Amino acid sequence: MKESDVLKLLENIGAVIKNSHIVYTSGRHGSAYVNKDALYPHTSLISDLCKLFAKNFADDGVEVVIAPAIGGVILSQWTAHHLSEITGREVLAVYAEKTEDGGFVIKRGYDKIIAGRKALVLEDVLTTGGSVKKVIEATGNFGGEVIGLGVLCNRGGIKPGDVANPPKLFTLINVALESWDEAECPLCAKNVPVNTDVGKGREFLAKKAK
């Protein structure tokens, strides 16, 4: 499946929003958004996309797949399932959880599963790469050997050096999203209504109302 085919599939289910006024997690504004939450209810599509990850990393000796909770759990499960079918051996699926200070921890006994195993790290959307970098570092800290990083959408032009240098970075789609600081946002200047369904629009408007 080509990158353009994946992008078309995401557009068909409304996972790619265009011509809107979005406030991103970073606080910057833009007109487009990759809504991963619109993708997860479509189990058949998720399965197909995760099979692409599995095929790409089938020869890398993956023993366990790990991703950051919450959305990444779904990617981890499906990809491990397909890797198990392709390789004929069980590939495990675990997840990392965010801590109150913004870090990531591997617990629930998953730290013992990671130790000494070859791990594939997955992420849904890469913007700055900060979260998945912490997951990669946590995997290494618990004794796992990260063999690669699979990403559904790289919208920040992230390179391996930005995310703790995984040996292999495989991305299904790359999307360049233009963004502006609030003070320079042309959509704010035109009073285009902020989208409160996705991103941080609701929080932005609540803060402005104070």
Side-chain angles (χ1 to χ4, degrees):
M1 189 184 298
K2 295 184 297 185
E3 182 173 334
S4 58
D5 295 330
V6 175
L7 184 59
K8 186 65 177 178
L9 288 172
L10 296 180
E11 289 177 344
N12 288 344
I13 61 168
V16 178
I17 298 172
K18 298 178 179 176
N19 302 315
S20 185
H21 186 178
I22 308 293
V23 179
Y24 302 123
T25 302
S26 65
R28 293 174 66 82
H29 294 207
S31 62
Y33 188 79
V34 178
N35 184 16
K36 58 190 179 185
D37 295 327
L39 170 63
Y40 289 130
H42 300 274
T43 57
S44 179
L45 177 55
I46 283 286
S47 173
D48 290 344
L49 296 179
C50 288
K51 188 179 288 185
L52 298 178
F53 288 133
K55 288 180 177 177
N56 188 271
F57 290 98
D59 297 327
D60 293 299
V62 179
E63 297 173 290
V64 59
V65 182
I66 183 170
I70 301 175
V73 177
I74 300 170
L75 299 180
S76 173
Q77 289 279 322
W78 274 114
T79 302
H81 169 77
H82 287 302
L83 274 168
S84 297
E85 287 200 333
I86 292 171
T87 63
R89 55 179 173 77
E90 185 181 36
V91 176
L92 303 174
V94 300
Y95 57 87
E97 298 170 71
K98 186 171 282 188
T99 59
E100 291 184 357
D101 63 359
F104 276 89
V105 64
I106 303 170
K107 53 185 183 179
R108 304 176 191 269
Y110 297 159
D111 53 327
K112 296 178 178 60
I113 290 176
I114 284 289
R117 284 191 166 95
K118 293 184 177 180
L120 168 63
V121 180
L122 295 179
E123 176 65 297
D124 43 26
V125 178
L126 273 184
T127 302
T128 65
S131 292
V132 79
K133 179 182 180 183
K134 293 173 183 175
V135 174
I136 289 173
E137 291 172 342
T139 299
N141 291 339
F142 283 104
E145 178 190 351
V146 175
I147 60 85
L149 169 63
V151 177
L152 177 62
C153 174
N154 186 347
R155 68 180 188 188
I158 301 300
K159 307 293 183 186
D162 300 318
V163 288
N165 286 307
K168 182 176 176 181
L169 172 59
F170 173 65
T171 303
L172 295 187
I173 60 172
N174 293 277
V175 179
L177 300 181
E178 187 178 13
S179 67
W180 315 276
D181 288 330
E182 177 189 347
E184 301 172 348
C185 176
L187 302 174
C188 286
K190 296 177 182 177
N191 292 318
V192 176
V194 170
N195 189 322
T196 57
D197 294 327
V198 298
K200 297 297 180 181
R202 192 181 301 275
E203 292 85 345
F204 170 75
L205 292 180
K207 186 177 179 181
K208 296 279 285 186
K210 289 182 179 178

